[in-house]
Each structure stands twice: as C-alpha cells, then as structure tokens.
Amino acid sequence: MQILGILLVCLNPLYAQKTDTVKVRELEQVNIIDQSYRNNVERLPLTQGTYLLGGKKNEVINVLGLDANIAEKTPRQIFAKVPGVFVYDMDGTGNQTNISTRGLDPHRGWEFNIRADGVITNSDMYAYPASHFSLPMEAIQTIQLVRGTGSLQYGAQFGGMLNYISKQPDTTRAFSFETISSIGSFGLLSSYNGVSGKIGKLQYYGYFSKRHSDGYRDNSQSDYNGEAIGLIYEVSKNVILKADFKHSKYLYHVPGPLSDSMFYANPRQSSRSRNYFNPSIYIPSVSADFRLGSRTRASVVASAVLGARNSVLFDKTVNIADAIDPTTLQYANRQVDIDKFNSYTLEARLLHHYNLGGVSSVLVTGVQLMSNDLNRQQLGKGTTGTDFDLSKTGDWVRDMHLKTKNVAFFVENRFAITSRLSITPGLRLETGASRLSGRIAYYDANQLPTTISHHFPLFGLNTTYQLNKDQSIYAGFAQAYRPVVFKDIIPSATYEKIDKNLKDASGYNAEIGYRGHTEHWKWDISAFQIQYNNRMGMTYGTEANGNFYYLRTNIGDSRTNGIETFIEYDTRFSSKSSMSVFTSTSYMDARYQDAAIRVGDKNVSVKTNKVESTPEWISRNGITFRYTKLSVTALHSYTAKSYADALNTVKPSANGAVGLVPSYALLDINASYRLTKNLMVKLNINNLTNKQYFTKRPGFYPGPGVWSSDGRSINLTVGLKL
C-alpha cells in the first residue's frame, strides 16, 4: 500500500510527539506531498505538542483521504465515522458546520471549544460562544475531536474540543500552488487556491477561497469568501515562531421558516425574500513554540476574534406574511441587528516528562487569559427595501455591552503506574466576571443584572489500561460548565424579568470505552453520561399586585446516558483492490430531571421528558471500494425522531415552531479518482433518493419553524497541485 499522507511534526504548536517514557525521540520535520486514499479515523497520541491526551476519547479525521463533499462541507459525510454526531442544517450551502455530540445543542457548534490550528475561533466564550468563523474544507488536512473529558485543558465546554488542522507548507520547494474547483447543483461554483513554500528558515502559506450557491430553496443564495496567510520562522531547532491571519465572510439570503403544511406542499419554497445574514470574522494570532530540552516543551499563543455578525430580517413567525402594505404601497421596516466581537486570548502551556519514584510521568500545566467585549445592537429600524442593507433610522432599541475578564489555570499529570496502567488526575480553576452595561429602551436598567461571576474549581480523572499494544480500555471523568450567555439575560419585553441569582450551567462528562485494532478490524465502543445542571429557560410568576411576569432563570437539570459504537472491517483482495465496511452508531437517552417551564399562565413539570433535538439513534453505515487510483464510498445515514421543545409536543403548531421532527434516512455516493500524482477528480451524489426532510425546529435564529434540508444534488470537483 502506498502511504501518501504523513503527519507533520515540529512546525505547529500542536505537533505530534508520542512517547510513554521520558526518553523522548525527536523526529525530523516531514511534509505532506500527496494525499491518502484511506479515509481512516485515527486516534491522537499520548502527547501532542504541549497537550496531554492519554485516556481521553478522541478521533482524528483524515480530510485528505475523504471521498466526501468537501466543497459544501457536508457534515454527515465528513464526520461519518464519529458516532453520535448530530447535524443541524441551518445556514446556506457550506457556510457553517452546525454539529453536536452526546445530546448537546448544535447551534454553530457552541458547546465545543472550536479551534483552527490550536487557535480559539468561538466568537465570545462568555457572551456568544458560537463560531461564526468559517474555514474552507479544502484548506484542512485533519480534524481533531476530543470529547468532553478534554474540558480541563482546552476550556470548560461540555462538548470538548474541535480542532481544524490546516494543510502545512510544502518545504521541498520555494513555491508551490494548489487549486481546487467545484461545480454542482443549485448553482454551486467554488474555487480554492493556495500557495506555500520555504525560503531559508522561513516558511509561508496562504489561500483564497470563494464559493457561490443559488441554494436549494427560493431566496437562499449565498456568497462566501475566505482568506488566510501565515509565516513560520525557525529561529533555531529549539524555537519556532508563527504568525497567522485568517478571515471569513459570507452573505446568506435567508429564505425564512416554513409551516409543516408549507413544507409538505413544497419544501423548496420561501417565506421571506428580504432577510439576510452576514458574519465577517478575523482571526489573527502569533505563537511561539519552545523545546526546553529533550523532556520539556512550552508554547505561548496570543490570538483574537474580531468582526461582526450582521443581520437584516423581517423577524416574524411564518404565519405573518411579509407583504406590501396596500395603504403605504411599501413593505414593513425590517429589523437590523449587529453583534460586534472583540475577544482576546493569551494561552501559555508547559509539558514536561519526568520520573517520580521510578514511575514515568507527564505533566502539563498552563494558564489561559481572556478579555472579551461583545457589543450587541438590536432592534434597529431598518429599511423597507428588499436588498441587503444595514442602514437604520433612529436609535438602537437595545445597545448593550457584555464585558468579560477571565483567568483559568489548569494542570494534569499522567502517572504510569505499571507498563499497562496509567492514571491522569487533573484540575482547572476558573475565575472571572461578565459585566453588563448599556440600555434597553423599554426596560428599567435597575432590573438588569450587572455582573455575572464565574468561579469554578473543576476536577477530572482519566485512566487507561493497555491490554496489549493494539487494544486498551479507557475511562474518564471531567467537570464542565457553560456560562450564562447574552441571550439568556436580555429581556425581550417589559413583562420579562431576569433572575438576579442566575447560575452558569455546570455538570460533568463521564465515559468508559474499549478500543483497538487487528489486521482487519478497528473499533471504539464506549458508554457515556453527561450531567447538565442549571439549564436556562422561562418560568411564570405573579407579583403582589396581580401583574404577571415571565422569569428568565435556571429551570432544572438534565442527564444524558448513551453508547457510542464504531466498528470497521478492512480487507485487501489484491495489491490493487480493497474494501472497507463500517458502522458508526450511537444511542442516547437524554431526559430532564426536576425541571419546570412556563406554559401559558402556569409552570409545568417536564421531569422525565426527553431533551429537545436529541434523537435516540444516530447511525451512519458505509462501504468503500478501492481499485488502484479509484475510491468509491456509499454512505447510509439514519437519524431518529426528536422533539423541538421540552414539553415533547408531537402535533406541529400552526407556525411549525414546535412539534415532532420526523426520522430520516439518506444515501450518499462519493467517488475520488487520481488521474496523476498531482491531479484528482471527485464526484459527489448527495441525498441520492431525494429525501425531503428537516433536522430541527429552531427556537431563535434563523426563525422558529421548519427549515428544509437539501434534496438530491451532484457536485464535480477537480484538484490540481503544481
């Protein structure tokens, strides 16, 4: 078998260095010069750069080896071999990746600590943790996913860490060029162009990506641009400096929600023609990587998330038509909302190998400082026009700042008790506060909470027992929390109140698993539990004078138990042909505990009800045939039914905001063929049976109701490297 993909070491702050003892073997730098046909999911090593990963459930997706539709970043194909990934189709074609695991909220992946080359891309961890930044998948080499037990080192998100690793510079020449172009259904046109090289001790890389799609639905066009440039300078064999600048921007024509009757009559129709969404995000970063001897590694990364999330919408439920007023002969004024992000992070880490009483140990410790300021400007009176226009008249109805300063210290230590058994205890201490200021025109400023404190000691423990060199049992426990975010503390009307004693959501991840491989088999089977306390919601109350109010508060807790199974069989028929078959299946039982929510003018218990947007079964099963330079993959994806609200409402409401989300099954056919070493062609047939389905009924943006997912489409991609 030709090995065409090689892991890069020594350049990135997350470079690969694997060892079980203090005898660290330094590897020479190597570079990816080709791509693998094998779309295997691998595991992270014990240590990687200044990260300690032993005992944690994780996956590494080799994007270069995927037959998947990378032009549109189709998540069910890219994450096919990661059990339990729930996909939420929300934005225009390829704009955002909205996924979750283990029953968490998939909205822009905001339950993950999302990174690009180790740099945080969440817009604001304490005010709006969604990631509006959008990488072109053509620029990505691998995707690393560390489940929730990685929360101590990365950040206290329940979902864990999702890290997109970019293609690295070609150091065999002073200049190299790569271009990848795609054309497809619904007006898809995509072009990615990248350059890289090495001149002396300086390495450089850069790309420009542009994509247009008319969209599956009426009024759902999208236009995307993405750029990046980076420099890597090897000061010496022990010191490497890196500067990186990434940017993404897209304009999405938002087609609006549908009711169930509208969806079943014509899922491609639109309820809105004047709605637009436009995030523009910049990610600058500088980093330094130090080798302080054969046993010690240190890194420092300073980064920022800067930019804005802009929208202009006729923001009403679908049963309120956006029509021309016969009196004024004009449309109604639209609503303009702008979030301005100013998020800064400094992260310093140290990893050290040492012996303690004859026991081989690995210590990782570090500090993370964050200073964020989210300026939320909402309910501006926009134009009566039909194009994308953020101009407004008058003042903002809501003009708020949520400023956060937070310090986190973390430490984990792996003790190799025997040659087979290792134990890794860990601790993360977070302290900080978010301070709210500004004005809401309809609300008494004295009623707003002004400070939300974040003070958490978080503990964790991981262990691994090596059955043999190819099989192991792992288990882990880690506490996590999720800050109260901006949308939780902004009243939408005068009759809403904010609980002055709001608590951040907190809880834990626990998991135990068995993984390994033989000549033909590969597997990772695990059980998990997530305890999620202090969930946010709304309750009902009455004042002494008889006036009612709605209270934004902590409504109760939930618990998710589940099983995640990945099994793959790979066999070779001859030196030219092979086949692999896999299943990636999860079962989840997510239920509320002692929780109550507002229903009309009373509070109703939802104890034992299922948590919304958490299907019991998610199963993806595939088969890949490879013959010389041809690879063909058939993927069947099944997602069971789920509920849109905590009441587990089955019958859809008239506007589609609540009701059952039916189960759906999809079939994709993907193929790759390498004509020469530097020329490759891909063909993707997505949703072959043209299944009409939807994945979620959102409660807020982009609007409550049914959002149709794409029907059958065909894409053709050509990639050339010079």
Side-chain angles (χ1 to χ4, degrees), residues 76 84-88 586 588 613-620 636-642 661-666 691 693-696:
R76 68 175 180 270
V85 170
F86 176 74
V87 176
Y88 169 29
S586 71
M588 293 181 288
S613 300
T614 309
E616 283 191 350
W617 292 96
I618 298 176
S619 183
R620 297 185 177 94
H636 183 270
S637 303
Y638 172 78
T639 301
K641 67 181 182 181
S642 61
V661 178
S663 63
Y664 53 91
L666 309 171
K691 174 70 175 178
Y693 71 104
F694 58 97
T695 59
K696 193 176 185 290

Side-chain angles (χ1 to χ4, degrees), residues 146-351:
V146 180
R147 301 304 179 97
T149 53
S151 59
L152 300 187
Q153 285 185 58
Y154 293 102
Q157 285 70 30
F158 278 91
M161 186 278 303
L162 185 62
N163 189 20
Y164 294 89
I165 303 297
S166 301
K167 295 174 180 175
Q168 300 299 318
D170 183 349
T171 57
T172 63
R173 62 187 78 181
F175 178 82
S176 67
F177 173 72
E178 180 183 31
T179 181
I180 302 173
S181 299
S182 299
I183 186 171
S185 302
F186 318 129
L188 173 68
L189 292 171
S190 175
S191 177
Y192 167 86
N193 300 277
V195 296
S196 70
K198 181 179 181 182
I199 304 173
K201 293 186 176 182
L202 179 67
Q203 301 173 39
Y204 68 92
Y205 57 88
Y207 67 74
F208 174 76
S209 179
K210 187 175 181 64
R211 182 178 60 249
H212 169 82
S213 174
D214 293 332
Y216 178 65
R217 296 176 58 192
D218 298 335
N219 299 311
S220 63
Q221 303 91 348
S222 65
D223 287 281
Y224 164 86
N225 289 340
E227 308 90 35
I229 187 170
L231 301 173
I232 302 172
Y233 186 72
E234 186 178 358
V235 178
S236 69
K237 68 176 184 178
N238 296 321
V239 180
I240 295 176
L241 305 179
K242 181 179 180 181
D244 185 273
F245 181 85
K246 291 183 173 71
H247 172 243
S248 74
K249 177 181 180 179
Y250 66 85
L251 177 62
Y252 173 42
H253 195 175
V254 185
L258 302 177
S259 66
D260 286 71
S261 59
M262 294 171 68
F263 170 78
Y264 288 112
N266 177 13
R268 302 188 65 176
Q269 68 178 297
S270 166
S271 65
R272 298 290 182 261
S273 62
R274 304 188 300 136
N275 289 10
Y276 296 89
F277 181 75
N278 166 237
S280 179
I281 306 296
Y282 299 87
I283 311 286
S285 67
V286 292
S287 62
D289 191 26
F290 305 95
R291 296 192 189 98
L292 307 178
S294 61
R295 300 183 178 187
T296 309
R297 187 74 181 271
S299 65
V300 180
V301 180
S303 64
V305 179
L306 309 171
R309 169 222 179 273
N310 309 308
S311 65
V312 54
L313 308 168
F314 180 75
D315 194 17
K316 306 292 182 181
T317 54
V318 67
N319 54 305
I320 301 176
D322 184 14
I324 293 177
D325 188 321
T327 303
T328 64
L329 300 180
Q330 290 184 324
Y331 285 104
N333 294 91
R334 292 174 295 179
Q335 173 182 320
V336 177
D337 297 325
I338 298 176
D339 285 346
K340 298 176 181 177
F341 304 114
N342 292 276
S343 303
Y344 300 89
T345 302
L346 177 66
E347 191 172 49
R349 309 176 58 89
L350 176 74
L351 185 140

